[in-house]
Amino acid sequence: MTHRTETETGTGTASGATKGISILTGDPKRAIIKLSGPMIVAMLLMSVYNIVDAIWVAGLGPDALAAIGFVTPVFMVLIGFSNGIGAGATSAIARRIGAKDREGANNTAMHALYLTVAISVVLTICFLVLLKPALLLIGAGDTIDLALEYANIIFGGTILILFTNVAYGILRAEGDMKRTMYAMAVSSVVNLVLDPILIYGLDMGMAGAALATVISVASVSTVLLYWFLVKRDTYVSVRRISYHYHPAIVADILKVGLPASGEFLLMAGAGIILNGLFVTVAGTDGVAVYTGGWRVVMFAIVPMIAIGTAVISVTGALYGAKRYAELRTVHFYSTGLGTGIAIAISILTWVFAPQIATLFAYTPESAHLLPQLTTFLRTMCFFYPFVPMGIMSSSIFQGTGKGTTSFVLSLFRNIIFIAFFATLLALIFGMGESGAWWGIVLGDIVSGLLAFGWAALYVKKLIKKNRE
């Protein structure tokens, strides 16, 4: 006889598995395709919002777009913590699902949510105290008022941003990518609708762009809470009765979560270095070109990030089940799939770069940025094919609980390679703005090759150890 319990989902039985669990624990190639598909759609919608948001802000002038660029590195700190704890939750829960420990998966999910609340309180206080000095230190200068107008509202929604990303992480851990897609779609659509209304319709400017983001995140938080607390048809149960504090679970989440958060801090650090570099060699216009162009880059690599997200879940389940030999399949297959997509995107970007650049230079004030934006986008075409090697390799390490290794790879990529080569070519070799762009490409190539080789060697050692 089937029955419902306080520690299990509303529609599942005591031992029943959802469709997502069946996919997650089945053939790894099929799992990557099935799980990454919905994530690609969801992340593309999110990226469309990011680009459209930048387009609407660009209409306020180059200074407004540059102000967003100065806020972005600080915002990456927030996104880093939210995505990091989400990745830690995904890895820890997926490994327990792979080991058929459903009770442990439930308890881990509750630990992740309590961590979310604690981190949100600390971050909100830090942002309130340090936001303006941080933006001035980064170089906001004449754009500080615009930057603060945007940032104060965005960081007021800290707890909502953290909660949604951790909730996504719980759903991804059980292979429920479709529900994650629906939630992210709600957020994106609400944002897209509100942006022009608040920015121009209500004449709120930068504050309108920020408020649209916060409202959209609040709306999706409501949807997620409904699924977890009212509908209760997820495999992993999110209920107080499932929670039994254990420091080892906190450590398990954080050993992936903190390094993953640190990776975003490294990206923020690289962003700060690059912003300063562009200010030095090209002024505010250089930052505006980088800010607008980089949003296109982030849109272009969405499929690779989505595949990498699926790899974390699949890897965690395989590792928990001790199916180590199949990790090599996951690594090579996901990298090959991502590289093929990246090459296709590079070709499309090269062909349509002038049209894409127009999206960020459609006003008389920003029209002069069109040539630089076009050249930047075509330079980044050489960046894309090497991105999958780094993303998939880091996902392998995160899925197996080796978050520190993934962090080290990110350190090499963002600081030692990208920031270094960009500075070297722009300043030391005197190549200016274009030198910084090519430095980003060169750093990505070197770091991608390093990450792939490191992950391949790690999987080889796992397989060998398991056979002994």
Side-chain angles (χ1 to χ4, degrees), residues 46-102:
M46 292 291 289
S47 294
V48 165
Y49 152 68
N50 284 330
I51 290 177
V52 172
D53 183 61
I55 292 170
W56 286 119
V57 171
L60 298 173
D63 282 352
L65 190 57
I68 296 289
F70 289 117
V71 173
T72 297
V74 184
F75 186 63
M76 289 293 288
V77 174
L78 174 56
I79 295 299
F81 277 104
S82 60
N83 284 2
I85 301 302
T90 297
S91 177
I93 294 170
R95 280 181 272 124
R96 283 161 176 78
I97 289 174
K100 304 187 185 304
D101 180 12
R102 189 174 186 179

Side-chain angles (χ1 to χ4, degrees), residues 172-448:
R172 289 195 300 264
E174 62 176 69
D176 197 345
M177 301 299 192
K178 284 189 176 181
R179 205 185 307 241
T180 306
M181 176 184 70
Y182 298 145
M184 294 174 75
V186 168
S187 178
S188 300
V189 171
V190 171
N191 231 323
L192 288 169
V193 172
L194 290 179
D195 257 346
I197 295 174
L198 298 181
I199 295 173
Y200 296 104
L202 297 180
D203 198 26
M204 295 179 66
M206 297 286 283
L211 188 59
T213 298
V214 173
I215 292 174
S216 70
V217 177
S219 65
V220 79
S221 295
T222 302
V223 173
L224 290 164
L225 287 171
Y226 170 76
W227 286 335
F228 284 130
L229 303 180
V230 179
K231 198 173 183 182
R232 291 180 186 166
D233 61 346
T234 54
Y235 179 81
V236 175
S237 174
V238 177
R239 303 194 67 185
R240 176 66 181 80
I241 197 170
S242 302
Y243 179 71
H244 305 285
Y245 175 72
H246 201 300
I249 296 179
V250 176
D252 198 21
I253 295 172
L254 293 180
K255 75 178 182 180
V256 172
L258 287 181
S261 300
E263 291 181 38
F264 278 83
L265 294 178
L266 290 173
M267 285 188 277
I272 292 171
I273 293 171
L274 291 172
N275 275 337
L277 184 61
F278 286 121
V279 167
T280 300
V281 299
T284 302
D285 282 354
V287 177
V289 168
Y290 173 64
T291 299
W294 196 251
R295 292 207 176 197
V296 177
V297 172
M298 294 307 296
F299 179 80
I301 66 174
V302 159
M304 289 81 91
I305 295 173
I307 295 170
T309 301
V311 168
I312 294 175
S313 301
V314 175
T315 297
L318 291 174
Y319 188 81
K322 298 184 179 180
R323 293 161 57 185
Y324 302 137
E326 293 173 84
L327 293 177
R328 178 179 289 159
T329 300
V330 171
H331 187 210
F332 281 72
Y333 181 74
S334 61
T335 301
L337 179 64
T339 302
I341 294 173
I343 291 172
I345 290 172
S346 294
I347 295 171
L348 290 172
T349 302
W350 182 276
V351 173
F352 295 105
Q355 290 77 19
I356 298 171
T358 303
L359 296 175
F360 300 93
Y362 62 90
T363 65
E365 294 82 8
S366 59
H368 66 282
L369 301 178
L370 184 59
Q372 295 102 306
L373 275 166
T374 301
T375 305
F376 174 84
L377 293 175
R378 284 182 168 164
T379 303
M380 290 303 110
C381 291
F382 299 93
F383 172 90
Y384 301 137
F386 295 89
V387 170
M389 289 191 293
I391 290 178
M392 308 313 163
S393 300
S394 291
S395 295
I396 289 289
F397 286 117
Q398 289 180 345
T400 57
K402 302 293 182 182
T404 301
T405 304
S406 180
F407 173 82
V408 171
L409 288 174
S410 185
L411 175 64
F412 275 105
R413 179 181 185 274
N414 289 287
I415 306 300
I416 298 179
F417 292 132
I418 288 181
F420 171 75
F421 282 124
T423 303
L424 180 70
L425 296 183
L427 298 180
I428 306 303
F429 284 87
M431 295 174 63
E433 189 176 17
S434 64
W437 300 341
W438 282 108
I440 293 172
V441 173
L442 182 59
D444 178 63
I445 293 172
V446 176
S447 62

